[in-house]
Amino acid sequence: DWYSSVDAMEELIKHENEIISIFHKYIDFQETKLQKLKEFVRSNEEVLLKAKQNMSQYLGHPINQFKLIQRLIFEQQEAQLINEGHEFLDKILFKPEQFPMFADLEGASKALIRLLDTYQLDINELTQGIIKGFIATQHLNANDCFYIGRVAYLGKNYNICVLWMTEAQNMDKNSYSTFTVFDLLDHLAFCLMKQGNVQEAHELTKQLLQLDQSNQRIAKNLQYYKDALNHNNETVSNIQLLSEDQTRYMEICRHTRKNIPPSVLKRLKCYLWTNGNHPRLLLKPAKVEELWHEPQLLRFHHFVSNSEMDAIKAFGLSKLERSRVSHTRNGAYSDQRISKNAWLPDSDSVATRISQRISDVSELSMETAELLQVANYGMGGQYEPHLDSTEKENPPFFPRIATVLIYLSDVAYGGSTAFTKAGVAAEPIKGSAVFWFNLNRAGKVDETTMHAGCPVAIGTKWIANKWLGLKGQELVRPCLLSPHAKNRLF
Ligand SMILES: O=C(O)CCC(=O)C(=O)O
Ligand SMILES: [Fe+2]
């Protein structure tokens, strides 16, 4: 699919560029051909008219007979020629893998819905192509709004369905081409009813019946709404309320919990770290920023260089595959995680250098670390709240004592890493790395490290993950009995 990685969509721009130039060639070719055809038809028609004026006289002459036969042969040839010349289009038609599919459009619609929801965007601005002041090249038209509204309707996302359908309703009726006013009111009435707005649903259903008086289903619905209104029936509303976790996730993504309490703030520091005058760090100390105290979240600024980031992304682009959820390699594709990823082999010199750097600052053993994973998020790409580690060994997956999350890009809007239990978000800052322990000192999963990748609204988000294994840390970080023992890197 195309929507799960924004950078992979560059291919679509290249492909479209090629398609447009093929179309131009095709149009020129056809225009020249049509010009010739017009001339051919005009002259043949002239003769035909004369022939029809006095058919027996015309057909009595052998030259005319000859010419008639000849004309028909030429006309047939011409018809065959018209039918040919489409090989231009073969270039387009025979590359189906280069085309997005309706599943992509559906994914893109869901992305817009997610952004609208998460960042509480103004739908009217969104249809005008405006997201937090970032202006798109094109607007959404009524057909687009209906399409997205229908995706919301199919996903039982009735509040959102009402928003998009109303948006379509407010647009010029003459611009409706993929749906009718009836389709629109039909969907809108249903979504309003599901919202518990029986009054409005009833009003629209009356209009629907006027549009199609013999429609039994609509007549039944009308009766149903009438009864509901007359008897003040319990509303039929069944909007699925978002879970508290989901609400909190979205709030943190919007940074409405950015106000860190002063008691916490005064404990958070920035400093240079040489790890006891480690030779490599002595020359270039780590720039550490404490983002949170419990769990300890550390950000290392300028952790990777621009050239290292370019190399990782270039490798990623050549190998990206749609990410799967869960800790199994054959896990499913899911809206929970919309990104593409790839794994850098340890033989890669940049991967090796980064591994070395992590061990320099943390003293942790890299022996059981996983390969460096590079990921690029797609349209509205996100990774819903999750824990990075499990307790049990489940080969080929092992408990991950710590995570190092490296940001390979800035993101113009959205895309923070939200720690949903801690209530804090790390913004993607290009070149920086965020570090935390997934397991407490007793080797149990620390649930306070629950985190998520917020939907990317504007821009593209690249990250690299390095997961460090629990095994092999016995000497540097021995297991303690108390799960409450301080769990800090330094
Ligand atoms: O993209 C992010 O900010 C978080 C990514 C993440 O949690 C993961 O890949 O496990
Ligand atoms: Fe994660």
Side-chain angles (χ1 to χ4, degrees):
D1 53 63
W2 289 100
Y3 68 95
S4 61
S5 163
V6 172
D7 277 53
M9 284 172 98
E10 260 186 36
E11 283 301 312
L12 289 185
I13 296 277
K14 282 189 207 145
H15 186 41
E16 192 181 20
N17 196 43
E18 194 190 337
I19 289 176
I20 294 295
S21 77
I22 291 171
F23 273 136
H24 274 307
K25 269 195 217 155
Y26 181 75
I27 290 167
D28 289 348
F29 171 81
Q30 290 295 15
E31 272 175 356
T32 321
K33 231 171 77 167
L34 271 182
Q35 216 40 54
K36 279 191 197 150
L37 182 64
K38 264 188 199 159
E39 181 49 36
F40 175 77
V41 170
R42 196 198 53 76
S43 75
N44 280 13
E45 196 176 26
E46 222 174 77
V47 186
L48 177 66
L49 285 175
K50 280 187 193 149
K52 284 202 299 191
Q53 274 168 12
N54 193 340
M55 228 186 293
S56 50
Q57 190 190 345
Y58 179 83
L59 288 175
H61 195 298
I63 296 290
N64 287 344
Q65 294 160 12
F66 172 86
K67 289 306 274 183
L68 173 63
I69 290 166
Q70 188 196 47
R71 273 204 316 281
L72 278 156
I73 289 170
F74 285 170
E75 279 163 12
Q76 188 194 25
Q77 273 181 352
E78 192 61 34
Q80 273 162 356
L81 277 177
I82 293 167
N83 224 16
E84 283 166 13
H86 290 254
E87 45 308 336
F88 284 97
L89 301 183
D90 289 354
K91 267 200 189 158
I92 301 176
L93 296 173
F94 292 149
K95 285 188 190 169
E97 74 285 355
Q98 296 212 20
F99 279 93
M101 297 179 299
F102 266 99
D104 287 286
L105 200 58
E106 195 185 320
S109 302
K110 287 182 181 170
L112 289 177
I113 292 170
R114 191 175 314 115
L115 293 176
L116 187 73
D117 243 357
T118 310
Y119 298 112
Q120 295 180 339
L121 303 178
D122 178 313
I123 187 156
N124 197 253
E125 281 196 355
L126 188 56
T127 49
Q128 289 173 55
I130 305 170
I131 295 180
K132 302 282 173 184
F134 291 91
I135 303 168
T137 316
Q138 283 181 289
H139 294 194
L140 296 179
N141 60 31
N143 301 312
D144 303 329
C145 292
F146 179 80
Y147 182 85
I148 301 169
R150 200 174 137 73
V151 170
Y153 153 85
L154 292 172
K156 298 190 165 59
N157 207 335
Y158 300 117
N159 289 330
I160 298 285
C161 159
V162 168
L163 284 178
W164 288 103
M165 291 297 174
T166 308
E167 217 36 41
Q169 196 184 23
N170 291 338
M171 290 182 183
D172 183 4
K173 306 277 174 290
N174 294 321
S175 67
Y176 297 4
S177 61
T178 56
F179 67 99
T180 62
V181 173
F182 186 92
D183 296 333
L184 176 74
L185 297 182
D186 199 12
H187 282 80
L188 187 51
F190 184 83
C191 293
L192 281 164
M193 182 271 284
K194 288 286 190 187
Q195 265 189 332
N197 195 341
V198 185
Q199 188 81 47
E200 279 284 315
H202 177 253
E203 279 307 310
L204 293 185
T205 309
K206 277 200 292 195
Q207 293 179 34
L208 278 167
L209 203 57
Q210 274 165 14
L211 290 171
D212 183 2
Q213 284 158 5
S214 60
N215 192 316
Q216 292 299 310
R217 177 174 62 84
I218 299 295
K220 254 201 214 148
N221 286 355
L222 190 65
Q223 193 54 48
Y224 177 78
Y225 295 142
K226 259 189 200 146
D227 290 347
L229 286 173
N230 287 339
H231 302 105
N232 219 354
N233 283 359
E234 272 292 291
T235 51
V236 262
S237 153
N238 66 345
I239 290 288
Q240 288 166 359
L241 289 175
L242 290 178
S243 69
E244 209 179 302
D245 280 351
Q246 191 69 21
T247 312
R248 203 172 147 81
Y249 163 41
M250 299 203 305
E251 255 174 38
I252 298 167
C253 287
R254 286 196 297 277
H255 291 292
T256 50
R257 289 181 188 238
K258 209 177 183 179
N259 324 334
I260 300 175
S263 58
V264 174
L265 202 56
K266 69 170 191 260
R267 295 169 59 178
L268 303 178
K269 297 191 177 61
C270 287
Y271 46 90
L272 296 175
W273 175 252
T274 56
N275 194 7
N277 292 344
H278 186 289
R280 267 187 297 266
L281 291 174
L282 211 53
L283 288 172
K284 192 171 173 268
K287 298 173 191 150
V288 188
E289 179 191 358
E290 291 178 328
L291 296 179
W292 200 248
H293 57 310
E294 255 172 70
Q296 187 187 42
L297 302 176
L298 300 175
R299 190 197 294 268
F300 295 95
H301 288 270
H302 302 113
F303 194 69
V304 288
S305 69
N306 282 330
S307 62
E308 285 169 338
M309 290 189 270
D310 289 346
I312 300 172
K313 287 186 278 192
F315 174 89
L317 263 185
S318 68
K319 292 269 178 344
L320 288 178
E321 262 190 46
R322 178 79 191 261
S323 309
R324 298 164 192 271
V325 234
S326 96
H327 295 275
T328 58
R329 283 215 198 274
N330 43 16
Y333 296 146
S334 154
D335 289 347
Q336 271 174 35
R337 190 178 186 192
I338 297 170
S339 63
K340 290 194 171 176
N341 67 34
W343 303 81
L344 265 81
D346 265 341
S347 57
D348 184 281
S349 65
V350 175
T352 313
R353 249 185 289 159
I354 290 175
S355 232
Q356 177 67 256
R357 213 167 291 152
I358 293 172
S359 110
D360 287 352
V361 294
S362 70
E363 294 277 322
L364 292 167
S365 161
M366 302 305 286
E367 229 172 281
T368 59
E370 290 167 50
L371 299 182
L372 188 71
Q373 184 195 56
V374 50
N376 176 232
Y377 285 86
M379 270 197 75
Q382 62 158 358
Y383 193 172
E384 287 190 355
H386 65 277
L387 294 162
D388 278 355
S389 184
T390 53
E391 260 148 47
K392 284 184 242 92
E393 280 201 16
N394 182 16
F397 298 97
F398 300 92
R400 295 163 164 173
I401 188 172
T403 295
V404 182
L405 167 53
I406 306 167
Y407 299 103
L408 306 175
S409 65
D410 294 312
V411 178
Y413 194 86
S416 291
T417 307
F419 291 83
T420 49
K421 291 240 158 56
V424 69
E427 277 179 70
I429 298 178
K430 189 174 177 181
S432 75
V434 175
F435 177 99
W436 69 89
F437 285 110
N438 295 303
L439 304 175
N440 64 27
R441 292 303 304 260
K444 295 274 177 279
V445 170
D446 180 353
E447 305 252 338
T448 67
T449 63
M450 179 83 75
H451 61 281
C454 297
V456 176
I458 303 283
T460 177
K461 180 182 177 188
W462 282 92
I463 57 164
N465 280 307
K466 189 79 178 169
W467 287 294
L468 280 60
L470 174 64
K471 220 163 143 188
Q473 314 294 351
E474 296 81 6
L475 292 177
V476 277
R477 210 171 171 79
C479 189
L480 302 179
L481 286 180
S482 168
H484 306 296
K486 272 216 171 347
N487 196 17
R488 303 173 64 86
L489 185 58
F490 33 76

